[in-house]
Amino acid sequence: MLLEASIDIDRPIETVFDFVADPRNDSRWCPRVISCEQRPGEGPGRGARYDVLHDPTLIRRHTRSIEIVEFDRPRRMVSRQEDEVAAFTISYLLERTPRGPRLTQRDEIAWRISRIARPVAKRIVGRHIGSQLRKLKQVLESPDPAAA
């Protein structure tokens, strides 16, 4: 299953990329992320791995593993994320526009839940992507993004 959403952010493309490419920032714009700890790797980049404490809708808190599989600053970052719910391939794609960079989040999802639950999960995840991108825009466009 594929879900995708985009948003324009009034900040330099490198600033947007650097922020979203570091999963340690996720708790600042993804309300379901409680914490994120880096495992192997030094800072964001290809091969870096993270453990995330995740608190999704309708499912108990659990750990999700993240591995950065592509890292092409400032245009593209792809991570492979796995937990008991699904295996996610999440791409952050950035392009320059006259209004600033456009960030597209593309989630490819291989569900590990029952077929009956998948339509509800799809709706929930789709709604979360949209709200996360709006929160990201708010954080990055604030007067002091480091303090948000």
Side-chain angles (χ1 to χ4, degrees), residues 108-135:
E108 298 174 51
I109 306 169
W111 295 111
R112 296 179 173 154
I113 57 176
S114 72
R115 288 192 185 279
I116 286 178
R118 290 177 190 178
V120 172
K122 176 183 178 183
R123 187 171 179 174
I124 290 170
V125 172
R127 191 173 59 230
H128 288 176
I129 292 170
S131 66
Q132 288 172 183
L133 291 180
R134 288 187 297 276
K135 176 67 175 178

Side-chain angles (χ1 to χ4, degrees), residues 2 25-26 64 72 134:
L2 179 66
N25 290 323
D26 286 1
R64 175 181 286 182
D72 181 19
R134 288 187 297 276

Side-chain angles (χ1 to χ4, degrees), residues 19-89:
F19 193 83
V20 299
D22 188 343
R24 294 170 294 186
N25 290 323
D26 286 1
S27 63
R28 295 178 56 201
W29 62 284
C30 302
R32 281 138 203 91
V33 173
I34 306 304
S35 63
C36 179
E37 187 174 331
Q38 185 160 6
R39 295 299 178 200
E42 196 58 38
R46 191 170 191 276
R49 293 176 185 257
Y50 304 84
D51 287 335
V52 175
L53 182 58
H54 196 247
D55 193 13
T57 305
L58 302 178
I59 300 173
R60 66 176 167 67
R61 271 187 191 184
H62 60 271
T63 300
R64 175 181 286 182
S65 65
I66 298 176
E67 179 183 5
I68 308 302
V69 295
E70 291 183 42
F71 195 86
D72 181 19
R73 184 180 189 265
R75 302 268 182 220
R76 176 182 176 87
M77 194 276 285
V78 179
S79 66
R80 176 87 172 150
Q81 302 188 18
E82 295 192 40
D83 61 20
E84 61 195 46
V85 177
F88 301 83
T89 300

